[in-house]
Amino acid sequence: MRPQHTEYTADNDAAPVDMLAALFEARGWDCEIVADDEMVGEVQGSWAKYQLRAIWRSSDNVLQFLCLPEIRVTDDKRAHAHELLCLVNEQMWLGHFDIWSNGDVLLYRHGVLLSDEGTLSLNQAQALVETAIDECDRFYPAFQFVLWGDKAPKAALEAAMVDAAGEA
């Protein structure tokens, strides 16, 4: 379901959920505003479809942005997955990967502290979405190598970085 929203430009700022929903709509991506302070959408990445979720907490002016690549971590792979998380997160400048204990789901998470006005610009929204997708695409193969290919975490990360560097 696509919401109907005002068209925003680079000169406009808006409530974070509204701005992100407008961006999704402009790009033709499905999204739904599930509450005044939360939206969920879906985007096709290079390796998989990602669920994107934004949660606005006005009391702190914090926007939490999540990207879930639909990877579940089984009990037998948990130790290696956590080791890989540590290695991957060392490579990150923005956001981090985590495994939700409720459902054992891998996710990328980034919190953004917004100004006192609590608004998000179009450029911020684009950067937030693109960074989440790019980071999930960049590290997806490493998680696949560990969880389904039985590679050691360090070898999986090295193989994923070589593969990514080799693409043009």
Side-chain angles (χ1 to χ4, degrees):
M1 174 182 173
R2 285 196 200 140
Q4 297 298 319
H5 288 280
T6 307
E7 190 171 310
Y8 296 105
T9 67
D11 297 328
N12 300 116
D13 290 352
V17 170
D18 292 339
M19 180 60 80
L20 285 163
L23 175 64
F24 274 60
E25 181 181 7
R27 292 195 176 177
W29 297 336
D30 288 333
C31 79
E32 180 180 354
I33 295 178
V34 294
D36 287 342
D37 59 355
E38 186 173 355
M39 66 139 302
V40 63
E42 198 170 74
V43 173
Q44 180 64 50
S46 295
W47 301 102
K49 268 195 175 173
Y50 303 132
Q51 182 188 91
L52 300 173
R53 184 173 293 267
I55 304 163
W56 170 240
R57 195 165 68 186
S58 60
S59 61
D60 298 327
N61 283 353
V62 173
L63 177 65
Q64 181 135 159
F65 197 74
L66 309 171
C67 186
L68 297 100
E70 288 196 39
I71 294 177
R72 293 200 183 277
V73 179
T74 58
D75 288 339
D76 61 320
K77 302 289 184 170
R78 186 170 317 287
H80 281 158
H82 279 288
E83 184 180 340
L84 179 59
L85 279 176
C86 291
L87 295 170
V88 164
N89 285 336
E90 288 177 353
Q91 307 294 314
M92 309 279 295
W93 279 83
L94 295 172
H96 67 278
F97 283 91
D98 207 345
I99 299 171
W100 264 352
S101 59
N102 183 8
D104 301 321
V105 176
L106 177 77
L107 64 110
Y108 166 87
R109 178 169 40 191
H110 181 63
V112 179
L113 181 62
L114 298 179
S115 69
D116 290 340
E117 292 81 33
T119 58
L120 188 68
S121 72
L122 179 59
N123 289 339
Q124 286 174 307
Q126 289 178 162
L128 193 59
V129 170
E130 289 169 6
T131 299
I133 295 168
D134 289 349
E135 295 296 20
C136 284
D137 280 347
R138 181 163 74 130
F139 294 109
Y140 188 91
F143 289 105
Q144 295 292 331
F145 290 152
V146 165
L147 298 173
W148 292 301
D150 290 325
K151 277 191 181 259
K154 187 173 182 181
L157 183 59
E158 288 171 358
M161 296 292 93
V162 167
D163 289 348
E167 293 179 14

